[in-house]
Amino acid sequence: MFSSLLSNLNYTTIFFLMLLESTVIPVPSELVVSPAAYHAAGGSINVWLVILFATIGADCGATINYLAGKYLGRPVIYRFANSKWGKMCLLNQEKVEKSEKYFDDHGKVATITGRLIPGIRHLISIPAGLARMNFGSFLLFTTIGAGVWNCILAGLGWYLYSVVPEDQLEDKILEYGEYIKYGIIALVLIAIVYFVIKHKMKK
């Protein structure tokens, strides 16, 4: 499956897969953007267009979640999360509640930082919709968060082109991806602590 994905990656498939990744479909962005950037390093596609189409796809998928949260409401979202279809999407009520708590704790900026955190990234748009966050702000913050994440993944793929043969690419992406996740989580936590302390000092 991964080999087939690699051989068919183009701007359209990048957009579509990242759209799915930003809804509730379990498509790992690491195995979309990084392989695409790997091939871009070889000259077959443009790395900046990879980032652009990946970010647009993420925005569209996030918008679907936002609209679902805004117009369907919490009971319907929870019912879906606990359904057979929800479980097929690796979803459950606990994960949705976790994303809601993160949004409640950190406010609108959660739509930026949440895009960088595993387990929160693809669900953070739902509580934004439930809270009826201004759509313009939501889209701007989502674009920033998704853009930063896609740049990181593209940088990883570009780097791996010079050090890893293609048959080892999937394993290396998953290995380096874990380091990146932990690093980002640490940076987000540091940023949150900094802003909390700064806010308290102002008071």
Side-chain angles (χ1 to χ4, degrees):
M1 180 180 178
F2 183 71
S3 299
S4 174
L5 180 64
L6 282 178
S7 63
N8 291 294
L9 272 179
N10 54 49
Y11 303 127
T12 302
T13 55
I14 291 166
F15 166 83
F16 179 67
L17 290 172
M18 290 302 291
L19 182 153
L20 294 179
E21 188 269 346
S22 287
T23 56
V24 294
I25 310 298
V27 177
S29 54
E30 296 91 333
L31 298 184
V32 178
V33 180
S34 293
Y38 183 94
H39 285 281
S44 59
I45 50 179
N46 183 288
V47 70
W48 297 111
L49 290 179
V50 167
I51 294 170
L52 175 63
F53 279 91
T55 302
I56 294 173
D59 281 346
C60 291
T63 298
I64 292 172
N65 277 3
Y66 171 89
L67 294 174
K70 183 174 182 178
Y71 292 109
L72 296 181
R74 189 173 285 103
V76 176
I77 296 293
Y78 282 3
R79 197 176 306 127
F80 174 78
N82 292 322
S83 70
K84 178 179 68 176
W85 294 104
K87 289 180 172 57
M88 287 176 64
C89 294
L90 305 181
L91 194 62
N92 56 50
Q93 183 172 325
E94 183 182 353
K95 289 182 178 179
V96 178
E97 288 176 341
K98 183 179 178 181
S99 68
E100 281 196 83
K101 184 178 186 308
Y102 185 85
F103 184 86
D104 291 341
D105 288 347
H106 305 296
K108 295 179 180 180
V109 74
T111 51
I112 297 178
T113 58
R115 296 292 311 182
L116 305 174
I117 299 177
I120 297 291
R121 182 168 59 245
H122 65 299
L123 297 177
I124 194 63
S125 307
I126 294 175
L130 290 171
R132 298 183 175 272
M133 178 181 175
N134 176 270
F135 182 72
S137 298
F138 164 78
L139 191 59
L140 174 63
F141 292 174
T142 297
T143 301
I144 294 171
V148 169
W149 177 243
N150 290 329
C151 284
I152 292 170
L153 295 181
L156 173 61
W158 189 275
Y159 164 73
L160 290 177
Y161 180 80
S162 62
V163 296
V164 174
E166 190 170 317
D167 61 351
Q168 298 177 21
L169 182 58
E170 180 178 7
D171 291 337
K172 286 298 179 182
I173 287 174
L174 294 175
E175 177 186 338
Y176 281 76
E178 288 300 309
Y179 301 143
I180 290 172
K181 287 176 186 176
Y182 292 132
I184 287 175
I185 290 172
L187 288 175
V188 169
L189 289 175
I190 290 171
I192 290 171
V193 170
Y194 168 78
F195 284 113
V196 168
I197 292 174
K198 186 177 179 181
H199 178 70
K200 288 186 176 180
M201 287 180 68
K202 280 185 178 180
K203 283 188 174 182

